[in-house]
Amino acid sequence: MLLSVVMPAYNAGKTIKESIDSILNQSFKDFEFIIINDGSTDNSGILAKKIADSDVRCILITQKNGGLSNARNNGLARATGKYVYFLDSDDWIE
């Protein structure tokens, strides 16, 4: 695996779909996409699971809320790519 994309998500129901889609719709396909649901209390986890279940590149980790750094570290521990890219759940890539 060349690239691991790690995205922590906490209560990002308004932006998470656009953020996830911006990664999955890239022309470069050799990556894994690790989404960490950091104890969201909105629909973020449901939306992430629905998308992750439909794409084999996605890995969804659900955890008790531990904060941004904890979520990133858990994603980094799971990453297998030579390179790691961190994306926030309210950001996207053109």
Side-chain angles (χ1 to χ4, degrees), residues 35 45-56 58-60:
I35 306 164
I46 295 166
L47 292 170
K49 181 170 178 16
K50 182 178 179 181
I51 295 168
D53 285 348
S54 68
D55 194 307
V56 297
C58 294
I59 300 159
L60 177 62

Side-chain angles (χ1 to χ4, degrees), residues 2-72:
L2 184 61
L3 177 65
S4 296
V5 178
V6 176
M7 185 179 77
Y10 177 74
N11 290 348
K14 294 179 181 178
T15 58
I16 195 168
K17 183 177 179 340
E18 183 177 11
S19 183
I20 291 172
D21 286 347
S22 79
I23 294 295
L24 297 180
N25 293 330
Q26 295 295 312
S27 59
F28 179 77
K29 303 293 182 192
D30 185 22
F31 65 88
E32 64 182 353
F33 188 23
I34 304 168
I35 306 164
I36 302 93
N37 176 21
D38 188 31
S40 294
T41 57
D42 68 354
N43 64 342
S44 300
I46 295 166
L47 292 170
K49 181 170 178 16
K50 182 178 179 181
I51 295 168
D53 285 348
S54 68
D55 194 307
V56 297
R57 296 172 293 176
C58 294
I59 300 159
L60 177 62
I61 299 170
T62 300
Q63 66 181 33
K64 183 178 170 183
N65 182 259
L68 181 61
S69 295
N70 179 266
R72 283 184 177 165

